[in-house]
Structures are given as C-alpha cells and as structure tokens.
C-alpha cells in the first residue's frame, strides 16, 4: 500500500491569509507586513510617477507584539490580509457583587470587582 495517506499532520485547508489589492486597504484594517499580522495605523498614496505605478506607504502595528512595521508597494499589487476572527467575552466578575475565597486559616478574602480592593473578613460569620 504505497498510496496510504498520512494523517499525522494536517489542517482544515483554510488559509490564514487572503489577497487584497493594495489600493483597497484602509486605515484600521489589517495586513501582513514583513510576515507579521498588523493593524494599519497610517496609509498614504503617492502619485503615479514617470516610470509606472502609484505607490502606497503602509505603517502597521503588530497585533501580537505592538512593534511598528512599514512597507511600500504599488497600488495595483496584491498584499496578504490575515483572516482575523474576534470574539468578545463578558467578564463574569462584573456580574458578581463580591467573591469570597476561603483561606487555610479560616479567614476569607473578599474581592469587590469594581474597585479591586481586597479586604479580610473573619471566618466566624
């Protein structure tokens, strides 16, 4: 059986990026600069020169490290845009007025999430 399929490594086949024309990118959008996914913070377009295309100057902040990256590309060329899915979760602690955490010596630690000021409470109550 030389035609066996190796399933030890694999993925769903989804791409982590998709191409988009450089002129279609917008500020506060996302783009891959120097191989890193970045949020576009500055974008400027130069006029068409004597030798060809208008150029787009992009400045982006890495979404993971916060490092600044810059790139210049012709406006008609494609750039990679990362597939980004954002999930917002509600903080459960904001729904609770306070939380009691038992400690080993019978004292409970009271935490009020709005002020994040902790206090000690006697364990006799």
């Amino acid at each position: 059986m030389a035609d066996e399929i190796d399933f030890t490594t694999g993925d769903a086949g989804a791409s982590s990026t998709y191409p988009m024309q450089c002129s279609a990118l917008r500020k506060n959008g996302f783009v891959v600069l120097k191989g890193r996914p970045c949020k576009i913070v500055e974008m400027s377009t130069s006029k068409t020169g004597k030798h060809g295309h208008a150029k787009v100057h992009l400045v982006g902040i890495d979404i993971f490290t916060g490092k600044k990256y810059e790139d210049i590309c012709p406006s008609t060329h494609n750039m990679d845009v990362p597939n980004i899915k954002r999930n917002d979760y509600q903080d459960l602690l904001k729904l609770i007025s306070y939380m009691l955490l038992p400690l080993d010596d019978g004292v409970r630690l009271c935490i009020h999430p709005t002020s994040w000021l902790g206090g000690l409470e006697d364990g006799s109550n």
Side-chain angles (χ1 to χ4, degrees), residues 22 25 31-44 55-63 65-74 79:
C22 199
L25 297 171
V31 68
V32 175
L33 298 175
K34 311 288 187 207
R36 302 291 303 168
C38 298
K39 183 173 185 176
I40 301 170
V41 293
E42 288 181 40
M43 186 173 171
S44 61
K55 303 279 193 277
V56 177
H57 177 249
L58 295 166
V59 178
I61 304 291
D62 190 312
I63 62 175
T65 65
K67 189 175 176 184
K68 185 187 281 190
Y69 291 95
E70 296 186 42
D71 199 4
I72 297 174
C73 76
M79 291 195 75

Side-chain angles (χ1 to χ4, degrees), residues 18-117:
Y18 59 94
M20 182 180 282
Q21 191 168 0
C22 199
S23 59
L25 297 171
R26 297 287 175 251
K27 188 175 177 180
N28 294 324
F30 297 96
V31 68
V32 175
L33 298 175
K34 311 288 187 207
R36 302 291 303 168
C38 298
K39 183 173 185 176
I40 301 170
V41 293
E42 288 181 40
M43 186 173 171
S44 61
T45 306
S46 67
K47 293 182 180 180
T48 304
K50 182 170 139 180
H51 296 290
H53 305 286
K55 303 279 193 277
V56 177
H57 177 249
L58 295 166
V59 178
I61 304 291
D62 190 312
I63 62 175
F64 296 115
T65 65
K67 189 175 176 184
K68 185 187 281 190
Y69 291 95
E70 296 186 42
D71 199 4
I72 297 174
C73 76
S75 62
T76 57
H77 287 201
N78 286 339
M79 291 195 75
D80 287 332
V81 176
N83 280 324
I84 295 179
K85 182 179 178 186
R86 180 177 173 152
N87 291 325
D88 292 324
Y89 296 98
Q90 187 173 5
D91 187 1
L92 182 61
L93 289 178
K94 290 182 182 176
L95 302 176
I96 302 170
S97 60
Y98 65 91
M99 187 168 36
L100 297 175
L101 300 173
L103 300 175
D104 291 338
D105 57 359
V107 177
R108 291 179 289 183
L109 178 64
C110 296
I111 300 174
H112 192 267
T114 57
S115 64
W116 291 106
L117 296 175

